[in-house]
Amino acid sequence: MTIRLPDADGALRTYEPRTEPLTLTPGTPLTSRTVFSAAHVVADPFADTTPDSPAAVDWDATLAFRRHLWSHGLGVAEAMDTAQRGMGLDWAGAAELIRRSAAEARAVGGRIACGVGTDQLTGGTLAGIRAAYEEQLAVVEEAGAQAVLMASRALASAARGPEDYLEVYGHLLRQATEPVVLHWLGPVFDPALEGYWGSSDLDAATETFLEVVAAHPGKVDGIKVSLLDAGREVGLRRRLPRGVRCYTGDDFDYPELIAGDEQGFSHALLGVFDPLGPLAAEAVRVLDTGDTAGFRALLDPTVALSRHLFQAPTRFYKTGVVFLAWLAGHQSHFTMVGGLQSARSLPHLARAYELADGLGLFPDPKQAEERMRNLLSLYGVNQ
């Protein structure tokens, strides 16, 4: 049976869906790389909300998805931008998410790292920004999770130059109980972060970033780089102090960065590993055996889907991630906090379905096809 899908020009094309999924079952723990999936939140579709109201979260479905990721050996990166921090999920909702997910991680023995930011602010002084970071760091540490110090829109607005970043991050690292991950989220993911680390010149910003790490190597577990620039990431990781990891956040070039070269490799903290979780875990298990070619053979074909989901404007990749979770049966609806399900076009979603189906990502291809048909009908596409 075929399905008609709209392309970018508005024409309908015929696609024949798969009938069998790619069979992937939970396996042994991952050993050669530390791999986190940044996880999305599942909205409550029956909540009476508006785009400006606090997020209403379906906690049962949200936590069930995290158990799915843990079951395949992946760590969960919680309350990051994939969870719509600053795009539908406010700090109050994020704090609740952190507490619930950290408790669930303890219950099942899963690894978890949680985002620490300043999204309870819209601006402010450096002192206020430090206090906001401190409040969130305390919540994460009290929950028993590892902290990921995320880039701050408020700091990007208030900082006068590199020295302010050195002061704020130095203050936070000195008081962190356990080593943290420093997250450099580029403006392609969030335009409000333009000029982070005190300069729009990436070479100059890199020097400041590395200065923060070098001053506190014992308090930095690793850096998470989301610049979509593989060459810059490789250059960064080669300059890190011994023992400080590089977690790739490059959703365009992750297979080659995780595979690495003769001088090193990247671990992973990726939003695309939300829909790719079982396949990504299987690929890393192959890499654990020393079979780099086998790893690349599994993961390289996923890049086309990832590049499609993360195409400009990149910050709306969350819509595609949640869409695929719905098609895969991880939630019963395609509704997002903040109404963000409207952020991508029907042709974009149709292509995401086609690429994901071609990879065998849907455990029940027939259910995914039926849900895709229902969406098409809602948009007036008759089959």
Side-chain angles (χ1 to χ4, degrees):
M1 185 176 293
T2 61
I3 184 172
R4 294 198 303 162
L5 301 173
D7 62 23
D9 297 321
L12 295 175
R13 66 183 185 282
T14 299
Y15 174 69
E16 184 174 353
R18 292 177 66 124
T19 57
E20 298 293 332
L22 183 65
T23 302
L24 296 167
T25 57
T28 56
L30 310 183
T31 58
S32 65
R33 304 290 188 274
T34 300
V35 181
F36 290 96
S37 166
H40 74 281
V41 293
V42 182
D44 178 354
F46 302 119
D48 186 11
T49 60
T50 69
D52 295 327
S53 64
V57 176
D58 180 336
W59 294 112
D60 289 342
T62 293
L63 295 176
F65 186 75
R66 280 131 183 86
R67 291 194 295 272
H68 154 73
L69 295 172
W70 284 318
S71 75
H72 285 275
L74 300 169
V76 168
E78 187 57 277
M80 304 287 289
D81 58 298
T82 303
Q84 295 182 242
R85 289 288 292 272
M87 291 184 70
L89 186 70
D90 62 11
W91 166 236
E96 181 71 9
L97 178 63
I98 288 166
R99 294 185 182 103
R100 288 176 180 258
S101 291
E104 197 73 16
R106 288 194 299 274
V108 304
R111 183 166 185 168
I112 188 167
C114 300
V116 171
T118 64
D119 45 330
Q120 63 271 60
L121 303 176
T122 56
T125 64
L126 292 183
I129 291 165
R130 285 195 304 271
Y133 264 127
E134 289 169 346
E135 176 190 356
Q136 296 200 14
L137 179 62
V139 169
V140 170
E141 291 188 336
E142 288 167 7
Q146 183 178 20
V148 180
L149 295 186
M150 300 193 300
S152 163
R153 292 175 179 172
L155 182 55
S157 176
R160 296 159 296 180
E163 64 282 355
D164 287 338
Y165 290 90
L166 295 171
E167 191 278 326
V168 169
Y169 278 89
H171 176 85
L172 295 168
L173 289 170
R174 283 189 295 272
Q175 71 179 59
T177 303
E178 300 291 340
V180 308
V181 177
L182 297 180
H183 186 188
W184 185 357
L185 189 70
V188 66
F189 284 91
D190 187 344
L193 299 176
E194 178 65 41
Y196 213 73
W197 304 112
S199 179
S200 294
D201 182 319
L202 288 180
D203 290 335
T206 295
E207 295 306 316
T208 302
F209 185 47
L210 287 170
E211 187 175 347
V212 171
V213 177
H216 308 275
K219 287 296 187 76
V220 181
D221 165 69
I223 63 169
K224 195 260 188 175
V225 187
S226 300
L227 299 177
L228 301 185
D229 184 335
R232 185 168 295 277
E233 179 175 320
V234 170
L236 263 170
R237 80 183 184 205
R238 289 178 179 172
R239 297 178 62 190
L240 292 174
R242 183 178 297 276
V244 177
R245 309 180 192 194
C246 180
Y247 293 92
T248 187
D250 187 331
D251 299 276
F252 282 6
D253 304 295
Y254 50 94
E256 66 184 75
L257 290 164
I258 296 170
D261 54 31
E262 66 282 354
Q263 297 186 50
F265 56 82
S266 295
H267 299 272
L269 197 166
L270 289 161
V272 76
F273 280 4
D274 180 303
L276 293 181
L279 179 54
E282 181 62 25
V284 175
R285 287 191 187 92
V286 171
L287 187 60
D288 290 345
T289 70
D291 183 0
T292 302
F295 165 80
R296 294 294 299 267
L298 282 171
L299 213 54
D300 282 0
T302 69
V303 172
L305 171 62
S306 188
R307 287 183 174 235
H308 176 73
L309 295 177
F310 285 78
Q311 69 182 221
T314 301
R315 64 188 180 279
F316 295 125
Y317 75 88
K318 296 98 168 169
T319 301
V321 164
V322 174
F323 171 66
L324 294 180
W326 171 55
L327 294 183
H330 294 298
Q331 55 194 78
S332 62
H333 58 86
F334 178 37
T335 305
M336 297 177 67
V337 299
L340 208 64
Q341 67 271 11
S342 65
R344 290 294 200 188
S345 69
L346 182 62
H348 178 92
L349 298 175
R351 180 60 176 157
Y353 161 73
E354 184 178 359
L355 290 168
D357 181 73
L359 291 168
L361 295 185
F362 302 130
D364 184 343
K366 183 173 177 57
Q367 179 190 68
E369 179 186 346
E370 289 175 351
R371 290 184 171 186
M372 188 69 228
R373 288 180 185 275
N374 289 338
L375 184 69
L376 290 165
S377 177
L378 180 65
Y379 277 80
V381 178
N382 297 316
Q383 296 296 319

